[in-house]
Amino acid sequence: AGRPLQTVAGGVLEWWFDAGTARVALDLGDERDREQARRLVAGADVFLEAASPGELARAGLDAAALRRLNPRLVHVSLSPF
């Protein structure tokens, strides 16, 4: 099953495993959480985010970085802005 990742308020990432049976909240301002996000992305099928413009780039998780971590990753960016 895919493992979507979503950005929620304040740069916190919320990760869903296997249709929502487990969740992990990650704070993009914390280096340990950014490293955890990179590990999760490396093994994910889909990355779904709705971050404000530039937020993921500041955390080192822009589209180019995601492709380096996982070339097969489907990256979906939803923008409410």
Side-chain angles (χ1 to χ4, degrees):
R3 296 184 179 133
L5 180 66
Q6 176 186 3
T7 301
V8 293
V12 174
L13 296 178
E14 188 173 322
W15 193 267
W16 295 313
F17 290 98
D18 303 321
T21 57
R23 292 184 180 202
V24 176
L26 302 173
D27 179 355
L28 293 179
D30 183 284
E31 178 54 37
R32 290 174 299 180
D33 283 2
R34 288 191 303 270
E35 180 57 35
Q36 177 67 18
R38 288 187 284 270
R39 284 192 301 269
L40 291 169
V41 164
D45 298 314
V46 177
F47 180 86
L48 172 64
E49 52 92 359
S52 59
E55 184 177 350
L56 293 177
R58 286 188 296 277
L61 294 169
D62 60 334
L66 295 174
R67 276 191 301 276
R68 284 191 300 274
L69 290 168
N70 184 345
R72 299 176 322 278
L73 185 71
V74 175
H75 178 191
V76 179
S77 180
L78 305 173
S79 179
F81 304 98

